[in-house]
């Protein structure tokens, strides 16, 4: 049995960066009442403050017509919906309107146009007009709180141009946004697998042709990573080979190191997209094991990043066409039927951690097991996970608590059938449509069941699960 080692004297303020934000699929889905209702709930229960999505410049948003005129009414309606949900936009400037695209190249069910503009001058005018429209509607003081990210994953087929052409696109978009308000925040490169970071830093460090005194031509770095063998799969189905979760730690540590040596340790680095795999409709997204994956990832990346944008908020999603079945491997934290997945509860557990992070570890460390300890308001909170590595049955976890936990408290476990309804859906025969009986069964299975425990009890956690312990302080001050 392992021993949990806890040092109450070693404290640091929690950045709570896991509450920064989340992604949804593409802009027009914000016209759906079911998605906006889910997003309001996520703001209230998970604390997400920003939301990012593809395609604000897509043809279905009607921003540029064949006659060359610009129209932003639909985009403003979408951002009004975001603000009404209590969140703010992390604006992804994509994709290329067909009236401006240099070719018909596109991908995804909804037609993400990947081509460079046939008129770079018109592209800059479009982005400047867009920034002005947002400013007129929302006010500069509000938009200063937003982020403008140039494009999505230009290192893979979301961009059919070269890296140099992407840098030109970035420069023009940044110049256009800054021409409206110099305080607006613009960044990139929004690449997959944390690619192009060194090259982008070198490019954005060069003097601006328009203003040589500008200095660093970037306000934040955003980049993506998934622990799978595929950066993107443009299809409705896709089996993936999963990598161990620690690959995200390796990738973001390297990106952080590049920033530290050039722009400094305080320069903002965002995890723009991440999940347990990049493959669309892969059932690891639904599995109970996604909860410890999230807990482990968020605990490990907090040393490198200032904000997380999980992909994706909801299974109300259309990259490969809309899927209606209760579970179909969708990226979302919540199903199309509004059932929270295990992944949802992982973010809820993270939100319920305290304001101060405490030094904590197991006396026998291993890659599968981890703990994030926190304190505040006379209570200890221990977020513990037992991650099941791909291709293994996992390693059972049993541990004892230190004397300062002697008062006991409550424990919530994310388990199959208790916080993870996916396994219950399998047991029901994987129904495509739900009757009242099966709906109620999945609803019950999606809920975590709190239990009480005493400080002298050993805590057990099965592979592929996570737990949140809330421990009453009994006045003792032992550190171990």
């Amino acid at each position: 049995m392992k021993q949990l080692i806890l040092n109450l004297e070693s404290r640091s303020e929690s950045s709570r960066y896991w509450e920064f934000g989340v992604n949804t699929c593409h802009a027009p889905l914000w016209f759906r009442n079911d998605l906006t209702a889910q997003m309001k709930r996520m703001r209230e229960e998970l604390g997400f403050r920003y939301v990012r999505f593809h395609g604000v410049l897509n043809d279905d948003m009607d921003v540029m017509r064949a006659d060359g005129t610009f129209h932003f009414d639909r985009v403003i309606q979408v951002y009004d919906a975001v603000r009404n949900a209590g969140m703010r936009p992390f604006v992804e400037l994509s994709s290329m309107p067909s009236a401006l695209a240099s070719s018909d190249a596109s991908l995804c069910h909804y037609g993400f146009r990947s081509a460079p503009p046939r008129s770079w001058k018109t592209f800059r005018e479009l982005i400047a007009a867009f920034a002005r429209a947002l400013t007129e509607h929302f006010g500069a003081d509000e938009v200063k709180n937003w982020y403008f990210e140039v494009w999505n994953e230009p290192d893979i087929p979301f961009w059919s141009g070269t890296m140099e052409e992407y840098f030109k696109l970035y420069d023009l978009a940044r110049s256009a946004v800054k021409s409206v308000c110099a305080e607006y925040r613009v960044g990139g490169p929004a690449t997959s697998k944390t690619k192009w970071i060194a090259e982008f830093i070198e490019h954005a460090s060069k003097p601006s042709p328009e203003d040589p005194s500008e200095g660093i031509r970037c306000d934040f770095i955003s980049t993506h990573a998934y622990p799978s063998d595929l950066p993107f799969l443009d299809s409705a189905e896709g089996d993936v080979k999963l990598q161990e979760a620690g690959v995200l730690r390796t990738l973001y540590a390297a990106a952080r190191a590049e920033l530290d040596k050039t722009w400094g340790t305080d320069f903002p680095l965002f995890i723009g997209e991440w999940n347990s795999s990049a493959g669309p409709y892969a059932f690891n997204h639904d599995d109970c094991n996604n909860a410890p994956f999230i807990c482990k990832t968020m605990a490990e990346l907090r040393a490198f990043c200032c904000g997380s944008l999980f992909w994706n908020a909801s299974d109300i999603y259309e990259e490969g066409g809309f899927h209606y079945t209760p579970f179909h491997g969708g990226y979302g934290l919540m199903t199309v039927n509004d059932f929270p997945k295990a992944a949802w509860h992982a973010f809820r557990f993270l939100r319920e951690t305290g304001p101060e992070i405490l030094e904590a570890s197991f006396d026998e460390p291993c890659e599968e097991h981890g703990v994030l300890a926190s304190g505040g308001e006379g209570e200890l909170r221990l977020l513990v996970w037992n991650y099941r590595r791909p291709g293994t049955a996992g390693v059972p976890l049993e541990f004892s608590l230190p004397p300062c936990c002697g008062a006991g408290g409550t424990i919530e476990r994310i388990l199959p059938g208790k916080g993870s309804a996916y396994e219950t859906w399998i047991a029901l025969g994987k129904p495509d449509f739900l009757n009242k009986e099966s709906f109620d069964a999945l609803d019950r299975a999606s809920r975590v069941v709190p239990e009480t425990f005493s400080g002298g009890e050993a805590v057990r956690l099965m592979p592929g699960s996570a737990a949140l312990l809330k421990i009453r302080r009994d006045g003792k001050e032992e550190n171990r």
Side-chain angles (χ1 to χ4, degrees), residues 11-26:
R11 299 168 178 261
S12 60
E13 184 180 357
S14 175
S15 69
R16 314 201 66 78
Y17 84 112
W18 42 74
E19 295 176 15
F20 179 80
V22 70
N23 286 274
T24 58
C25 180
H26 68 128

Side-chain angles (χ1 to χ4, degrees), residues 167-237:
F167 290 165
K168 183 176 181 179
L169 188 87
Y170 172 83
D171 289 345
L172 290 173
R174 178 179 171 83
S175 172
V177 172
K178 294 286 188 178
S179 72
V180 176
C181 179
E183 295 178 64
Y184 290 172
R185 296 177 287 200
V186 185
T191 42
S192 72
K193 292 283 187 181
T194 66
K195 298 288 182 63
W196 295 5
I197 299 300
E199 295 90 339
F200 182 75
I201 289 173
E202 180 182 4
H203 172 77
S205 297
K206 296 175 181 176
S208 166
E210 297 179 2
D211 182 5
S213 65
E214 183 180 8
I216 297 170
R217 294 183 293 110
C218 181
D219 298 301
F220 62 90
I221 290 286
S222 60
T223 187
H224 309 164
Y226 297 82
S228 65
D229 61 338
L230 296 171
F232 177 76
L233 183 64
D234 184 19
S235 71
E237 306 292 340

Side-chain angles (χ1 to χ4, degrees), residues 169-391:
L169 188 87
Y170 172 83
D171 289 345
L172 290 173
R174 178 179 171 83
S175 172
V177 172
K178 294 286 188 178
S179 72
V180 176
C181 179
E183 295 178 64
Y184 290 172
R185 296 177 287 200
V186 185
T191 42
S192 72
K193 292 283 187 181
T194 66
K195 298 288 182 63
W196 295 5
I197 299 300
E199 295 90 339
F200 182 75
I201 289 173
E202 180 182 4
H203 172 77
S205 297
K206 296 175 181 176
S208 166
E210 297 179 2
D211 182 5
S213 65
E214 183 180 8
I216 297 170
R217 294 183 293 110
C218 181
D219 298 301
F220 62 90
I221 290 286
S222 60
T223 187
H224 309 164
Y226 297 82
S228 65
D229 61 338
L230 296 171
F232 177 76
L233 183 64
D234 184 19
S235 71
E237 306 292 340
D239 293 328
V240 298
K241 180 179 178 182
L242 300 179
Q243 301 176 52
E244 199 277 315
V247 69
L248 272 70
R249 179 181 64 228
T250 300
L251 290 170
Y252 279 97
R256 181 74 261 171
E258 287 288 344
L259 277 171
D260 288 353
K261 71 183 182 183
T262 51
W263 293 347
T265 57
D266 293 331
F267 197 87
L269 172 61
F270 289 104
I271 314 166
E273 286 184 21
W274 65 284
N275 201 322
S276 51
S277 77
Y281 314 112
F283 283 104
N284 55 282
H285 304 137
D286 296 331
D287 190 279
C288 190
N289 193 49
N290 219 25
F293 164 79
I294 288 168
C295 296
K296 172 181 169 66
T297 300
M298 289 289 88
E300 292 179 344
L301 299 192
R302 64 192 178 92
F304 313 121
C305 304
C306 66
S308 156
L309 291 151
F310 185 78
W311 186 273
N312 194 277
S314 175
D315 282 353
I316 299 169
Y317 185 90
E318 287 186 336
E319 279 197 353
F322 187 76
H323 283 56
Y324 58 85
T325 53
F327 290 93
H328 51 265
Y331 294 105
L333 297 171
M334 181 172 275
T335 72
V336 294
N337 303 99
D338 295 339
F339 299 131
K341 298 185 189 180
W344 168 289
H345 291 294
F347 278 104
R348 181 174 65 81
F349 283 7
L350 284 160
R351 191 184 191 200
E352 293 187 20
T353 56
E356 294 181 315
I357 300 298
L358 311 177
E359 182 182 335
S361 63
F362 291 115
D363 62 341
E364 298 175 7
C366 71
E367 190 67 31
E368 291 88 344
H369 304 153
V371 57
L372 182 69
S374 61
E377 299 181 357
E379 190 175 60
L380 296 176
R381 297 196 173 188
L382 305 177
L383 176 56
V384 186
W385 58 90
N386 186 353
Y387 170 66
R388 188 179 66 248
R389 301 176 80 175

